[in-house]
Amino acid sequence: MTAAFPVSAVSVSQLAESVGRIADLGAKLGRSRDEVLVPEELHRASGVPLDVVRALLQGRPAGEPDIHKRFRQRLDLLHETYLKENGRKFSHGDIARQSGISRQQVQAMLGGDRRPTMDHCARLERFFGRPAGFLQSEDTEALGCALAVVEKSLLQQYQEHSERGALAAAPAGAGRRPSLYERHGVDGIALRAALLPDQGRTKLLEWLDNYMDERAAEGDTTGRQDPAGDAC
């Protein structure tokens, strides 16, 4: 099971920031915006309707369906795209047996005649191999989660690319591992820090504040002249 979808609301402006970071990472890897932000792939990963994905990627609000309609959209998508090894869809009986939900309830939910409980959603998400919250999270939250996966993948690629470049540029026989700065540069370090969980980011900021305070104190000490030296 992958990580759960975020609980906090995600705004259109926050999505735009994610899109901008992903586009910048793609450019650093020599890939266009269209290559790293593929609406069809994000639609399948998030369950958000394709037209809504396109609108949100362009920074346009696209409305928000009621929770039951959203559930139906995503369950229909999973039923159509999550297939058996032979390429055929899972039957209502297959889903019922493997999820622990009665066949009648599965049929009613797929037909739109029954509203799901939280237990139904959790069981269906496990059956279809989707993160907790997939069937009910708001469109912006779901797309934000899918974009985070894309950003993490690109960041890993950028890290590997930076390390290969640093090693290639190192003098032959140097035998020294490139420093963090040499491997990632300012942009790479900042991008990695942006993806840290809140607790990790807080620790990093505390360390950075302490480091800057120490450097400032060193500057005050080295820049201060001995009063006795001013006498003629």
Side-chain angles (χ1 to χ4, degrees), residues 31-149:
R31 298 163 65 182
S32 69
R33 186 182 189 278
D34 290 340
E35 289 179 293
V36 294
L37 291 164
V38 183
E40 291 78 9
E41 293 179 359
L42 292 168
H43 158 62
R44 290 190 292 272
S46 66
V48 178
L50 184 56
D51 59 329
V52 176
V53 171
R54 288 178 172 142
L56 291 174
L57 289 179
Q58 294 169 4
R60 295 186 287 108
E64 190 69 52
D66 68 67
I67 192 168
H68 183 53
K69 181 178 180 180
R70 189 163 59 229
F71 169 83
R72 283 289 316 286
Q73 289 173 342
R74 297 187 189 169
L75 183 58
D76 287 347
L77 173 68
L78 293 177
H79 194 216
E80 291 294 326
T81 59
Y82 188 82
L83 306 176
K84 299 180 181 180
E85 291 183 0
N86 61 10
R88 304 180 72 173
K89 293 194 295 187
F90 286 89
S91 69
H92 296 171
D94 293 330
I95 298 172
R97 282 191 299 274
Q98 297 183 47
S99 68
I101 304 172
S102 74
R103 180 171 182 163
Q104 291 78 10
Q105 290 176 329
V106 169
Q107 187 170 352
M109 284 186 283
L110 283 167
D113 299 324
R114 181 185 178 92
R115 290 179 177 270
T117 64
M118 294 299 292
D119 182 61
H120 288 148
C121 289
R123 289 176 180 273
L124 289 169
E125 285 160 354
R126 285 196 295 270
F127 170 77
F128 287 110
R130 293 301 175 125
F134 178 90
L135 288 169
Q136 293 187 301
S137 59
E138 293 185 358
D139 286 347
T140 51
E141 293 175 10
L143 183 57
C145 184
L147 287 172
V149 173

Side-chain angles (χ1 to χ4, degrees), residues 155-219:
L155 188 55
Q156 290 172 340
Q157 294 174 45
Y158 181 65
Q159 175 187 354
E160 293 167 2
H161 173 77
S162 299
E163 291 185 347
R164 287 195 301 269
L167 290 170
R176 180 181 66 85
R177 178 175 173 78
S179 68
L180 181 68
Y181 175 77
E182 290 171 327
R183 281 184 285 142
H184 305 294
V186 173
D187 288 346
I189 294 172
L191 287 167
R192 288 171 66 80
L195 293 184
L196 286 172
D198 290 342
Q199 185 177 7
R201 193 180 306 116
T202 299
K203 289 182 178 179
L204 178 62
L205 290 173
E206 289 174 353
W207 174 86
L208 185 58
D209 285 340
N210 290 334
Y211 175 76
M212 295 300 291
D213 289 343
E214 290 173 3
R215 292 305 300 264
E218 289 175 4

